[in-house]
Amino acid sequence: MSGTFYYSAVGNVVTYGVDEVSNYRPNYTTSGTLVIQGWATSAPYYGNGPIVGYKLAESSIGTLQEGYYLRNVIRTQTFSLPPPGYYYIVFVLAEWNLWQYLTVDYGNFPTIRAIGVVGPSILAPPQSYSVNVGQAVTLTVSASGTAPLYYQWNKNGIAISGATGSTLSFGSPQATDTGSYTVVVSNGAGAVTSAAANLTVTVVSPFITSN
């Protein structure tokens, strides 16, 4: 196989393939029946033994005589969904040797893909509060989506260092904490930003309670 590998999945339909498949055999020989396969694996495959993972799809491309090749070998078909997760996509060219298919070439898609993973959504955004200086307050977001979910809180559009949980607590807020707070929730399938919650921290003027 040579050229660019293709992979695109929508629901349980996958389009996959490669620019070119050619026959590497000596003169005047014909290959066994060839198939292209798409695999989902936990790590890139480098030809070290059997492929460990989930075979997503397989399509026969027939036989090739020495010196012949096929261009734009692209297939679209329903594929077998693996358990939801994040996978490397491995392309395999396999050849029938009268009793089984043997891998004769392979290639790795360069990025991890989310398969069967539900993107994040905000169930309940953080609420706005008005508190006095020193009055503890916690902002909370509720989100759904395939785990793990990642959180990043922002103040006035700027990321807050270390604020990466589903809550943002102020044990003793000061006037400088006043601002507009949002949280970005993400996983391998995408990211979503919550509506803004406004935190107002008021400095209370001193007053006489007893003379």
Side-chain angles (χ1 to χ4, degrees), residues 4-156:
T4 301
F5 294 101
Y6 301 93
Y7 172 83
S8 176
V10 178
N12 65 338
V13 175
V14 63
T15 298
Y16 67 108
V18 65
D19 280 345
E20 183 176 301
V21 175
S22 57
N23 188 347
Y24 67 94
R25 288 176 171 274
N27 291 339
Y28 310 110
T29 60
T30 300
S31 72
T33 300
L34 300 170
V35 296
I36 56 170
Q37 301 168 341
W39 287 76
T41 63
S42 59
Y45 178 70
Y46 297 112
N48 48 346
I51 297 176
V52 178
Y54 302 93
K55 185 164 66 174
L56 304 177
E58 179 179 275
S59 180
S60 173
I61 59 174
T63 61
L64 280 174
Q65 292 183 348
E66 177 275 328
Y68 283 73
Y69 58 85
L70 296 173
R71 288 273 176 86
N72 298 320
V73 183
I74 308 296
R75 298 291 187 270
T76 297
Q77 59 189 138
T78 301
F79 72 108
S80 301
L81 282 169
Y86 305 93
Y87 297 96
Y88 290 90
I89 303 301
V90 181
F91 297 90
V92 170
L93 178 66
E95 181 180 19
W96 182 253
N97 69 350
L98 299 182
W99 63 87
Q100 63 179 337
Y101 279 105
L102 296 178
T103 297
V104 295
D105 200 4
Y106 62 89
N108 295 287
F109 196 82
T111 57
I112 293 176
R113 288 300 180 98
I115 300 179
V117 175
V118 178
S121 61
I122 303 295
L123 299 178
Q127 300 299 300
S128 296
Y129 290 94
S130 294
V131 298
N132 296 330
V133 167
Q135 181 183 350
V137 64
T138 297
L139 304 181
T140 301
V141 67
S142 176
S144 67
T146 301
L149 294 175
Y150 303 97
Y151 301 85
Q152 176 60 62
W153 289 87
N154 305 301
K155 177 186 178 184
N156 300 329

